[in-house]
Amino acid sequence: MAEPAYRDRIESTANISTNESLFVTEHKRLAKFMRSSADTPSADQSDNFARVYELSGETRAAGISYTEYLSLLQPGSPIHNQLLFLAGYPSAALLVDIATHYGVDPEFFDRHLSFVDDSLTTCSIHTAHHVLPSQLQTVFQTSITSIGGQHGDPTFQNLAWKRADTARRMTLYLHNLSLGKGWKPHHSVVRRMEVHDRHRFSIDQYVTIRLARNKRDVNKWIAIVWIDVGADLADSCIGPWLSSSYGTSSAHFRPFTLYNPDTFYWIRDAVKQPVKEGARTGKLPQAILPLVKAYGESLYPNEMAKNPIYALHEVFGLICVSKLYYLDMTASVLDTAIAESSTKVSIKTADTRDILIHSHRLLEQQCEQICNILEFLRSLELNNIPRSNSNVTHTALARTVQDLEYLRMSAERLMTRCNDESAIISREIAAKEAGRGIEQSKSTHKVTLLAAVYVPLSFACSVFGPGLELQALETGAAVQLLQQQTRITDTETLDVANAIVKELHCYPLAVVQIAGIITRRQDSLSRFLEDWRRDSTHVTFYKSRHGDLQGYRQTLHQVMSLQQFSSECQNLLKVLSFLDPDAISEVILTTNPQVLDFPEFPTSPSRYTECLEELFKGSLSRRIPGKKELFIHRLVQDVVRSEILDSPGSFAFGFNASVQLISYGWPRRHRVADQCRELLNHIKRLWIIFEVLKDSERATCATVEFVGLLAEVAWYQYRRSDLSASLESLDQAMRVHKDSQQAMDDVLASLHNIGGAIAYDAGQPDEALIHIQAYAKLQTEVYAQNNVPTRELAAAYSELARAYMMNSIFNPVPDLLEKSIAIRKQVKDYNDIQLFNPLHQMGLFYLNKSKFDAASSYFELALRNQRQVYGPDDMQGGSRTATLLYQLGDTRFQQYQLDPTGQQAAWEQSLTYIERAKALYQKARGDANPQTAKAAFKLAMVHFARANHAQARTFLDEATAIYAKQPTLHYAAERARTTYWLARLRYISGDLVAARGLAIRAAGLRRPLIDGGDPRPAEALTDADFDERVVFWDR
């Protein structure tokens, strides 16, 4: 099949649906890669990517590049059995050429190219999916694990944080990999990275194997081995294994060694010099690559030529060694963690439990991979590939199977060890909890004693009167109660019992009632916990009554039933069940309840007070002393929601009424910080409840008001410079919008506008342009329908201009800004202050052109407009005055830099402007705000220009401290640039060691921002290299 025909065939099969054929071989990933990969590989890349071994059997085969093999191929040349190694990232041209030459089944390519599908960014190994043995006969895939470590002390202390940070970085790495962003042929590819403890990590890389008849001679075979290992990792696209979060530590990998009864050789020598953090002068080779370049050194050439199973013996040997090293490392990690937990420090114990759980999960995956390898080797016996059946091959295969069985049993023993150690730690914790429960039971109030001996809730309330708060048991006492009632007392279930009583908030009635259900169902604790967590409503559990309730006359559902209250009180309780239970401000409930679209809610102060008295009498809520705040227990909320979920209208009432009350209380105009903070926990609570609802239930709660409220939260968090929280709230709003059945284009437009603003500040130009283009599209569609100019349409044009400039697209900018100005002047209630955005953007446009007078005129005009309304110390809109002062100062500074001798006055003006801007940023947004850091950095540059190094150092230290507090992926370019300038100052002061360390760190911070990385060492980087990743108006 010719190359064009092969490409066309791939495209056509990718579009076949299961409605057309049962034998669908859709190669969507391969088709997508063929379309997107346009790179023509260089000769060097082609030579390194594909290597051919001709197995004639006469002498040990010497591998040659695929291109050299083709050049030597002559008509009539003898055809031999072959091994073809593919190493690293491919190119479409090479794959098509190889496929057409050998007649390769596209399934082989498609399976290895799983990274093209961005849905695989969970980085799960392919063998985690079940594959029928019959499908393993010709194409097989597993992973090779490399064990890595760091020299020195890492900068991170929290293992959970490091794992989460690594997962985020791997998600970004895999997303870029799926797009081919920065990858070249022969680059190494990594599918997963796992952090095992503070010093050890591992990376997984795929190896995919195909055995088939050679299409040029069906009596010959071809074995293709495609491995992810290609070029040195330090010369490939950078991932978390070389990230700056390891501080001054250096990454290295443990070298592999293969053993043969006759030959013992090193694949490569250990790395003598550790890789310098963030530097490219040190290399990070991987142990498997020399095997590809000199394959078969331990094998008999004549036997290799006869049998593909034997020919692949070194490949499987290396896979076994990688599994062995992984198990060795895991055992060492467990030894260290368990030894640390014996210090009895609670933090160490928590880390140890986390390591045990994490290790157990990964060992399960290793076991599954080993079993799949065994299944593949067994399936080869059913393969119709031509081969011999010599004793040499049988012996080699038996050794491999023996090694794999040993590895499987070793992994299972380590899993058992994880379980045993976890049980020991759980027993120790439970013993401590029980001890604390006993101590507390000796000194607590009489009411707690009543609870401990299971006095019914209704009886306790009748004795002690309204307002009683029935306390929960200590965790240890609750566990003992559960074990007593279920008669399940084995130590292995302590963890599960702990989890169950915590789900029940350790309330004695809840524990007794659930114990009856477990006993009646003859359930294990773990199976019951699974059922409980699957049922987010818990309605069945709260209503069920089985066995002796130890004196309680009613179930939880009956005790807390809504039916005992008046209609208005019921609706008040429904609203309370959706809010954060620890501190519900009564202002939310009483300020303007008339905004609700629902009847029978206490709208007058007298009815509100009467309803509260009903709830207090039933002990379902209480007022926090000294505050106008209510408390309601989570268990009460859970039971109430479970009851009203049977009636969708009641559930939607409670949820939507809560949204409306909070939305009305949200201070939209000025977003008062204290007022917003009081409401944030309630909004988070609503989101948690919404997220676990079923699709049909979410549809009734996904209202315009809820989406708008989440958008307000995202904007508030953005103005407070909490970009991570803002992005999370924005994502939540987008997901609610997706579930909604209501039309809300205006709210969607607002979400895109917020997304663009966040992307601006985070230094993500591509993301900013995507959001703002969507925002502008929605606004222009509205204008096309009603032909009414609006502020939103004007803002869309000015924001689109800014997004274009951020992406270095300048031609459409002036026209967009002129349109924005013209529209704003047509809007009702126009005033000059509304021109801030287009005037500011126009100034930036001319600043980029180095037209300083024109830029200054726009900035000054916008500044005059601001001051006429807000005075000299503007605090509105996140301090727009500070932004204009900063831009004026930057304009003057650039003038000074062009002519230091003739522009002395410009330097003085720049210093004055930026100092005032910094003071206003601090006043409006706080000392730890990134805008404050931006101004501090600019002040450092102004002082550096006049050799005021001490002042420059002070401001750089301030900026560095602020940027260090920001999320990892935000302000990365600014963080790198600030570190670079600190290195320059240290060098000037003569501290060369510190200067070099900072320079290496700056290079490490910068490298992930560059497509394909940057091969230059830290010493070769200049000011311009660090400025290029910062948006031009902040350089």
Side-chain angles (χ1 to χ4, degrees):
M1 185 181 294
E3 290 185 14
Y6 186 86
R7 285 180 181 268
D8 293 342
R9 182 73 172 172
I10 295 298
E11 287 289 344
S12 63
T13 57
N15 296 317
I16 296 176
S17 73
T18 53
N19 294 326
E20 298 170 325
S21 172
L22 286 175
F23 298 93
V24 175
T25 55
E26 52 177 13
H27 304 115
K28 295 187 183 298
R29 292 178 294 213
L30 180 57
K32 180 179 177 181
F33 182 78
M34 293 293 188
R35 291 192 297 268
S36 62
S37 176
D39 285 344
T40 301
S42 65
D44 186 54
Q45 290 169 339
S46 299
D47 291 348
N48 288 326
F49 175 70
R51 197 167 189 83
V52 179
Y53 287 83
E54 288 256 62
L55 306 178
S56 65
E58 299 170 358
T59 58
R60 177 169 287 111
I64 59 175
S65 71
Y66 175 72
T67 51
E68 184 181 356
Y69 160 73
L70 291 180
S71 67
L72 296 175
L73 196 61
Q74 299 293 330
S77 299
I79 298 173
H80 302 293
N81 295 323
Q82 290 183 347
L83 276 175
L84 173 63
F85 282 95
L86 308 180
Y89 190 84
S91 77
L94 276 172
L95 291 189
V96 172
D97 191 275
I98 291 168
T100 52
H101 182 75
Y102 290 109
V104 180
D105 184 351
E107 175 66 21
F108 171 75
F109 294 140
D110 191 77
R111 193 178 299 187
H112 194 83
L113 288 170
S114 58
F115 57 75
V116 175
D117 185 352
D118 202 23
S119 66
L120 296 178
T121 53
T122 53
C123 207
S124 297
I125 184 66
H126 182 79
T127 49
H129 300 287
H130 294 93
V131 181
L132 291 173
S134 61
Q135 296 176 351
L136 296 176
Q137 292 181 25
T138 57
V139 179
F140 172 70
Q141 188 176 81
T142 189
S143 71
I144 290 179
T145 305
S146 296
I147 308 304
Q150 295 83 39
H151 295 299
D153 290 324
T155 58
F156 66 89
Q157 297 296 326
N158 187 301
L159 187 59
W161 175 89
K162 179 57 191 170
R163 284 185 180 143
D165 181 66
T166 299
R168 287 192 296 270
R169 289 171 177 270
M170 275 305 297
T171 298
L172 179 62
Y173 172 93
L174 292 169
H175 176 67
N176 290 337
L177 173 61
S178 72
L179 302 175
K181 193 174 182 181
W183 263 260
K184 302 294 182 185
H186 191 54
H187 273 184
S188 285
V189 173
V190 175
R191 309 294 181 124
R192 180 170 67 179
M193 176 178 177
E194 293 289 349
V195 177
H196 298 278
D197 61 13
R198 293 183 65 247
H199 293 278
R200 283 165 283 206
F201 67 90
S202 63
I203 61 171
D204 278 359
Q205 294 168 289
Y206 283 8
V207 54
T208 308
I209 300 170
R210 177 183 184 269
L211 293 176
R213 293 178 181 270
N214 194 323
K215 80 164 190 175
R216 297 172 59 231
D217 184 345
V218 294
N219 294 316
K220 301 296 181 180
W221 50 261
I222 170 76
I224 307 178
V225 181
W226 189 351
I227 60 174
D228 280 340
V229 182
D232 191 301
L233 267 180
D235 295 327
S236 303
C237 291
I238 297 301
W241 44 91
L242 274 181
S243 71
S244 59
S245 58
Y246 285 117
T248 59
S249 61
S250 305
H252 65 279
F253 288 115
R254 178 181 178 180
F256 289 156
T257 61
L258 289 183
Y259 174 75
N260 182 277
D262 303 314
T263 307
F264 178 85
Y265 65 97
W266 284 87
I267 297 299
R268 70 172 180 87
D269 292 332
V271 179
K272 299 296 191 301
Q273 296 296 329
V275 177
K276 302 296 184 183
E277 192 279 326
R280 288 304 187 91
T281 52
K283 295 294 184 179
L284 195 60
Q286 294 163 274
I288 189 176
L289 196 56
L291 186 77
V292 175
K293 294 181 178 179
Y295 188 80
E297 290 184 11
S298 67
L299 303 178
Y300 296 110
N302 60 334
E303 193 64 29
M304 285 179 68
K306 298 176 184 177
N307 201 310
I309 301 175
Y310 182 78
L312 293 171
H313 183 65
E314 282 188 355
V315 173
F316 285 105
L318 194 70
I319 292 172
C320 288
V321 168
S322 86
K323 304 298 181 193
L324 178 68
Y325 287 4
Y326 182 88
L327 297 180
D328 284 345
M329 180 272 300
T330 302
S332 179
V333 167
L334 296 179
D335 288 341
T336 303
I338 293 165
E340 287 181 346
S341 72
S342 65
T343 61
K344 306 300 182 183
V345 178
S346 59
I347 296 176
K348 294 291 186 183
T349 302
D351 283 347
T352 300
R353 292 190 71 185
D354 183 59
I355 288 172
L356 290 170
I357 294 170
H358 184 255
S359 298
H360 188 279
R361 177 175 61 82
L362 297 180
L363 286 167
E364 284 183 328
Q365 295 172 7
Q366 291 291 330
C367 269
E368 188 162 3
Q369 290 181 40
I370 293 168
C371 290
N372 280 348
I373 298 170
L374 287 166
E375 193 61 49
F376 173 71
L377 293 176
R378 295 186 184 105
S379 72
L380 290 177
E381 296 297 321
L382 304 175
N383 199 308
N384 62 356
I385 304 299
R387 63 180 181 273
S388 67
N389 291 306
S390 68
N391 288 333
V392 174
T393 296
H394 282 301
T395 301
L397 182 59
R399 286 175 180 167
T400 301
V401 171
Q402 182 183 30
D403 288 345
L404 288 167
E405 291 288 359
Y406 169 80
L407 292 170
R408 181 180 59 80
M409 289 187 293
S410 298
E412 289 174 349
R413 283 196 293 268
L414 285 173
M415 289 166 61
T416 302
R417 184 184 179 191
C418 289
N419 288 333
D420 292 345
E421 295 292 348
S422 293
I424 292 170
I425 292 174
S426 297
R427 285 196 292 271
E428 292 175 350
I429 293 172
K432 291 177 183 177
E433 290 280 357
R436 281 196 292 267
I438 293 169
E439 288 300 317
Q440 184 176 9
S441 67
K442 294 177 181 178
S443 56
T444 50
H445 194 268
K446 186 176 181 180
V447 175
T448 310
L449 293 177
L450 285 172
V453 296
Y454 327 129
V455 175
L457 177 62
S458 55
F459 174 71
C461 292
S462 66
V463 172
F464 293 97
L468 168 70
E469 178 194 354
L470 186 62
Q471 296 184 18
L473 298 174
E474 279 289 317
T475 303
V479 168
Q480 290 178 347
L481 176 58
L482 180 67
Q483 290 180 325
Q484 175 189 341
Q485 295 300 305
T486 58
R487 295 183 174 83
I488 301 175
T489 58
D490 53 293
T491 54
E492 283 82 13
T493 62
L494 271 177
D495 271 345
V496 183
N498 265 287
I500 290 174
V501 299
K502 287 176 181 176
E503 291 278 350
L504 302 172
H505 309 286
C506 296
Y507 261 39
L509 170 57
V511 174
V512 170
Q513 184 174 336
I514 293 305
I517 296 173
I518 294 172
T519 303
R520 175 65 176 268
R521 290 167 45 167
Q522 298 182 2
D523 243 345
S524 66
L525 296 185
S526 58
R527 194 180 309 119
F528 169 79
L529 186 59
E530 289 175 6
D531 291 345
W532 173 274
R533 287 175 173 170
R534 264 197 302 269
D535 181 2
S536 61
T537 67
H538 308 145
V539 175
T540 305
F541 300 108
Y542 290 140
K543 287 184 176 181
S544 298
R545 178 188 182 113
H546 296 297
D548 183 10
L549 291 186
Q550 297 294 323
Y552 285 105
R553 293 193 296 271
Q554 297 177 312
T555 64
L556 279 167
H557 190 270
Q558 292 167 331
V559 167
M560 302 175 188
S561 174
L562 291 170
Q563 304 308 315
Q564 61 185 300
F565 303 112
S566 65
S567 297
E568 290 179 337
C569 185
Q570 287 183 34
N571 287 334
L572 176 60
L573 185 55
K574 290 174 187 176
V575 170
L576 292 175
S577 71
F578 287 97
L579 301 178
D580 180 63
D582 296 327
I584 303 173
S585 172
E586 293 187 68
V587 173
I588 299 173
L589 305 168
T590 59
T591 299
N592 193 6
Q594 293 82 5
V595 299
L596 297 181
D597 298 332
F598 311 103
E600 295 187 315
F601 190 85
T603 55
S604 68
S606 59
R607 280 302 298 143
Y608 171 75
T609 302
E610 291 170 3
C611 289
L612 277 188
E613 288 175 355
E614 286 187 65
L615 295 179
F616 294 161
K617 185 176 181 180
S619 292
L620 299 188
S621 180
R622 65 177 173 84
R623 184 173 271 135
I624 299 175
K627 297 182 179 180
K628 291 211 69 177
E629 292 180 349
L630 301 177
F631 168 85
I632 181 171
H633 200 281
R634 285 171 173 78
L635 185 62
V636 176
Q637 291 183 311
D638 204 7
V639 174
V640 171
R641 288 199 306 273
S642 73
E643 180 177 352
I644 63 176
L645 200 57
D646 283 344
S647 172
S650 293
F651 189 90
F653 162 80
F655 188 94
N656 295 331
S658 302
V659 169
Q660 287 188 1
L661 288 170
I662 295 172
S663 184
Y664 180 82
W666 185 268
R668 282 176 174 75
R669 183 166 180 79
H670 300 309
R671 296 181 178 86
V672 181
D674 291 341
Q675 211 169 332
C676 292
R677 273 197 302 271
E678 289 177 1
L679 298 174
L680 277 180
N681 285 338
H682 299 302
I683 300 169
K684 290 177 183 176
R685 182 76 170 166
L686 287 166
W687 166 254
I688 291 170
I689 294 169
F690 179 87
E691 194 174 24
V692 299
L693 294 177
K694 298 175 182 176
D695 291 346
S696 59
E697 295 160 354
R698 283 204 299 268
T700 62
C701 299
T703 60
V704 174
E705 290 84 359
F706 190 35
V707 178
L709 187 58
L710 290 170
E712 287 288 342
V713 172
W715 186 250
Y716 163 76
Q717 291 165 331
Y718 163 71
R719 301 310 297 179
R720 303 292 296 175
S721 295
D722 190 349
L723 295 192
S724 181
S726 182
L727 280 171
E728 184 179 355
S729 297
L730 182 66
D731 178 65
Q732 291 169 359
M734 288 289 194
R735 288 162 67 182
V736 177
H737 173 269
K738 184 179 179 182
D739 288 324
S740 179
Q741 298 176 353
Q742 300 180 8
M744 52 177 84
D745 283 352
D746 54 339
V747 178
L748 179 60
S750 177
L751 294 178
H752 282 300
N753 191 21
I754 296 169
I758 295 171
Y760 287 140
D761 277 13
Q764 298 170 334
D766 294 344
E767 192 73 15
L769 187 57
I770 290 170
H771 276 295
I772 297 304
Q773 284 178 327
Y775 174 60
K777 180 176 181 292
L778 289 165
Q779 294 300 339
T780 52
E781 286 175 353
V782 172
Y783 181 72
Q785 293 172 6
N786 56 30
N787 204 31
V788 176
T790 61
R791 292 189 183 91
E792 289 76 17
L793 179 62
Y797 284 125
S798 61
E799 291 303 304
L800 190 56
R802 181 161 69 149
Y804 278 138
M805 286 193 289
M806 196 176 186
N807 285 272
S808 301
I809 303 170
F810 293 98
N811 287 339
V813 170
D815 287 342
L816 288 170
L817 294 175
E818 291 295 347
K819 283 183 180 179
S820 179
I821 292 172
I823 292 170
R824 287 174 194 272
K825 290 183 176 180
Q826 299 174 44
V827 173
K828 184 181 179 182
D829 299 328
Y830 160 79
N831 58 59
D832 288 342
I833 201 171
Q834 295 171 12
L835 297 179
F836 169 80
N837 278 331
L839 292 177
H840 179 220
Q841 310 300 342
M842 198 72 85
L844 294 176
F845 173 79
Y846 283 111
L847 180 62
N848 181 67
K849 301 291 184 184
S850 297
K851 296 182 178 180
F852 301 120
D853 291 340
S856 295
S857 66
Y858 281 106
F859 294 143
E860 288 167 352
L861 176 57
L863 186 61
R864 282 197 300 273
N865 293 340
Q866 288 292 123
R867 286 177 169 172
Q868 285 175 2
V869 177
Y870 297 115
D873 294 332
D874 163 35
M875 295 291 292
Q876 303 301 319
S879 190
R880 288 177 167 183
T881 294
T883 299
L884 295 168
L885 289 170
Y886 173 87
Q887 297 299 169
L888 281 168
D890 187 33
T891 304
R892 295 289 186 271
F893 183 54
Q894 290 190 39
Q895 287 178 288
Y896 168 77
Q897 287 178 303
L898 289 177
D899 183 13
T901 304
Q903 293 285 347
Q904 293 294 323
W907 186 89
E908 298 288 348
Q909 290 173 345
S910 70
L911 183 63
T912 301
Y913 278 133
I914 298 170
E915 284 178 339
R916 289 166 60 192
K918 180 173 178 289
L920 279 179
Y921 277 136
Q922 288 174 302
K923 187 176 179 182
R925 295 191 172 190
D927 291 335
N929 187 275
Q931 301 304 317
T932 304
K934 177 180 74 173
F937 176 82
K938 186 61 69 174
L939 283 173
M941 295 299 96
V942 171
H943 283 292
F944 186 88
R946 298 286 286 268
N948 299 331
H949 295 153
Q951 294 94 323
R953 169 75 180 276
T954 299
F955 286 117
L956 283 175
D957 285 340
E958 181 182 1
T960 301
I962 296 172
Y963 286 134
K965 297 176 182 177
Q966 307 309 312
T968 303
L969 297 180
H970 299 155
Y971 304 102
E974 287 82 355
R975 190 182 297 121
R977 181 178 62 168
T978 307
T979 307
Y980 164 79
W981 279 97
L982 279 172
R984 285 197 59 177
L985 283 176
R986 289 293 183 90
Y987 181 83
I988 291 170
S989 68
D991 190 350
L992 302 185
V993 174
R996 175 164 174 75
L998 286 167
I1000 290 173
R1001 180 168 177 77
L1005 288 166
R1006 174 182 174 271
R1007 188 171 294 116
L1009 306 175
I1010 307 299
D1011 291 345
D1014 189 333
R1016 292 178 295 167
E1019 295 83 354
L1021 299 177
T1022 65
D1023 308 358
D1025 293 315
F1026 288 92
D1027 276 342
E1028 69 179 353
R1029 304 306 301 177
V1030 179
V1031 66
F1032 77 84
W1033 56 73
D1034 284 339
R1035 289 175 187 167

